[in-house]
Amino acid sequence: MRKDYLKSVLRQDVGYFDTQTGTSATYQVVSTISSDVNSIQDVLSEKIPNFLAHLTSFAACLILAFVLSWRLALASLPFTLMFIIPGIVFGSLLMKRGAKMKSAYGVAGGIAEQAVSSIRTVFSYVAELETLERFSHELQESMEIGIKQGFTKGLMIGSMGMIFATWAFLSWVGSVLVIRRGDNGGPIFIAGICIILRFSRLLLQTLFP
């Protein structure tokens, strides 16, 4: 894959490299070969197996909960949206900010690579301070994006508190089913545990895909 990517870059016209303003084409090629390919490898070796594991566990817990107490499982279905929507919203925000941070780091790395590779020219034009200011400006942008990204991750992790609200609701519904409808408490309790495990798997998949 790295070989094919490098071949694709080398087949580009010279004008392609002239349009890479603010960064170095050499730096972009090297960083992309190392980072993007590692990301693809991480998806194939870790993300997809984890997704299949969470999906299988989610389906098994859902089926078992309906078998043990379909009323309790049916009452918990609306809570599914409370776990899916935050994951989708926060996940999209993290992806956008991650792309912006990567771009900002790429520009900063390009400035540093150009300065080091042309250090004689930098010294001859006394451009050390200007280069340092440009580099610091790009790092400042990436730092601001990183702070926003950390705040978003904090909100995502904080949304895991919905599990406690769901468990409280299931406890109340289960007590109503036992007291008023005469259902057996054992299957109700096990069904509640299965539902919580189902939501936990769903939350882990949406928050940490």
Side-chain angles (χ1 to χ4, degrees), residues 1-2 34-54 95 102 205 208-209:
M1 187 178 296
R2 291 184 172 93
S34 60
S35 62
D36 290 2
V37 175
N38 288 335
S39 299
I40 296 174
Q41 182 179 359
D42 182 60
V43 169
L44 295 177
S45 62
E46 182 178 356
K47 302 298 183 182
I48 293 180
N50 287 341
F51 172 77
L52 295 177
H54 292 317
M95 289 180 61
K102 182 179 179 181
Q205 178 59 36
F208 308 103

Side-chain angles (χ1 to χ4, degrees), residues 6-56:
L6 185 58
K7 284 183 178 180
S8 177
V9 172
L10 294 177
R11 284 197 299 266
Q12 301 297 322
D13 296 332
V14 179
Y16 168 79
F17 299 96
D18 294 335
T19 58
Q20 306 301 308
T21 58
T23 185
S24 171
T26 303
Y27 177 82
Q28 288 288 348
V29 171
V30 174
S31 63
T32 304
I33 288 177
S34 60
S35 62
D36 290 2
V37 175
N38 288 335
S39 299
I40 296 174
Q41 182 179 359
D42 182 60
V43 169
L44 295 177
S45 62
E46 182 178 356
K47 302 298 183 182
I48 293 180
N50 287 341
F51 172 77
L52 295 177
H54 292 317
L55 183 63
T56 304

Side-chain angles (χ1 to χ4, degrees), residues 64-123:
L64 185 58
F66 269 98
V67 170
L68 294 174
S69 178
W70 65 270
R71 293 184 180 89
L72 185 65
L74 189 63
S76 67
L77 286 181
F79 285 88
T80 305
L81 296 177
M82 296 176 58
F83 292 89
I84 294 178
I85 294 177
I88 295 176
V89 174
F90 290 136
S92 61
L93 288 176
L94 285 177
M95 289 180 61
K96 292 179 181 178
R97 289 173 179 172
K100 291 181 180 179
M101 180 179 292
K102 182 179 179 181
S103 177
Y105 274 126
V107 174
I111 293 174
E113 195 272 341
Q114 286 179 341
V116 173
S117 61
S118 306
I119 191 65
R120 295 179 183 274
T121 305
V122 173
F123 282 151

Side-chain angles (χ1 to χ4, degrees), residues 97-98 100-106 108 135-152:
R97 289 173 179 172
K100 291 181 180 179
M101 180 179 292
K102 182 179 179 181
S103 177
Y105 274 126
F135 183 74
S136 300
H137 178 268
E138 298 300 333
L139 289 182
Q140 180 68 25
E141 182 180 357
S142 63
M143 184 185 68
E144 294 175 356
I145 298 174
I147 293 175
K148 295 179 181 179
Q149 190 176 27
F151 182 73
T152 304

